[in-house]
Amino acid sequence: MNIKLLLDLIAKYESESAIVTQGVKSGYDVVVNQAFKWTPPDKPITTMTINEVLDWQLNAIKVYKIKTRTQTGYSAVGRYQIVYRTLKDLIGVADLKRIFNEETQDELAYTLLRRRGLASWIAGKMSDDRFADALSQEWASLPFNTGYSYYAQDKYGNKSLVTRDEVMKVLNEARNSTEV
């Protein structure tokens, strides 16, 4: 079982396309483009504490709403594009001083995978199709069983950026890999 293959698939479509345009070293420092346009971070996301990231996210949402005169705001950060509400839900008070570096982001993404059924999928109690659907409900760039993003046509303009076949191929490779 190689969970890294799943994390790499998610990152490929959630953050990696913005590395060059945002001038950052890796997807770990990417922020959602809509927020980057109006409120680029003052320093790399990977050097901020979780509390600083949450503060930046709230400000990015506020600034976007003001600049665009809409009720919609954007806050996704890091390699796995974790939004404010999810990040706040994932951490405890003691974690606020923790640095939002590569290790922290990978651990948070792994937690999200577990919430979406990773253990059941590994144990063979959840099919690849059901697990892929569960993942698409966490990461908008992954397709639901319709081939479209689970969040297609929402107010944020989300859409699937990868084919269902590619997701299924990676799930199969991850399950059958001898690497850990």
Side-chain angles (χ1 to χ4, degrees):
M1 184 68 58
N2 186 349
I3 303 306
K4 184 179 182 313
L5 293 173
L6 297 177
L7 295 176
D8 289 347
L9 173 75
I10 293 163
K12 179 178 180 179
Y13 294 102
E14 288 288 330
S15 64
E16 291 181 358
S17 64
I19 292 171
V20 172
T21 58
Q22 292 186 15
V24 294
K25 293 180 184 177
S26 74
Y28 290 101
D29 283 314
V30 166
V31 299
V32 65
N33 282 323
Q34 293 88 334
F36 183 80
K37 178 180 177 182
W38 300 106
T39 323
D42 293 334
K43 61 184 180 179
I45 294 292
T46 53
T47 65
M48 293 183 185
T49 64
I50 290 175
N51 196 50
E52 289 174 316
V53 171
L54 289 167
D55 287 346
W56 178 86
Q57 288 177 307
L58 278 178
N59 186 56
I61 291 167
K62 180 178 134 191
V63 168
Y64 189 86
K65 287 178 176 181
I66 291 168
K67 296 279 188 181
T68 61
R69 297 179 185 174
T70 65
Q71 294 300 308
T72 303
Y74 294 87
S75 66
V77 295
R79 187 171 197 240
Y80 309 103
Q81 291 294 279
I82 300 173
V83 297
Y84 174 81
R85 192 173 295 154
T86 301
L87 181 57
K88 191 168 180 170
D89 182 51
L90 286 171
I91 55 98
V93 174
D95 294 325
L96 290 174
K97 293 183 180 181
R98 186 171 180 185
I99 301 297
F100 195 67
N101 59 19
E102 293 86 348
E103 179 184 339
T104 299
Q105 291 182 44
D106 287 346
E107 286 177 21
L108 293 172
Y110 189 74
T111 298
L112 293 171
L113 287 172
R114 285 196 317 268
R115 284 185 176 182
R116 295 296 177 177
L118 179 64
S120 294
W121 177 72
I122 289 171
K125 296 177 182 175
M126 179 185 276
S127 70
D128 289 356
D129 277 316
R130 279 190 49 221
F131 189 51
D133 283 348
L135 296 178
S136 75
Q137 293 173 51
E138 192 66 54
W139 288 285
S141 67
L142 302 181
F144 193 62
N145 60 37
T146 60
Y148 296 98
S149 172
Y150 182 81
Y151 299 99
Q153 300 179 352
D154 69 359
K155 65 183 178 182
Y156 298 102
N158 284 306
K159 61 184 175 184
S160 174
L161 301 175
V162 58
T163 66
R164 182 73 170 199
D165 286 343
E166 185 175 346
V167 173
M168 300 310 282
K169 178 182 173 196
V170 170
L171 288 177
N172 186 52
E173 288 173 0
R175 181 188 299 282
N176 295 314
S177 176
T178 56
E179 292 182 44
V180 178

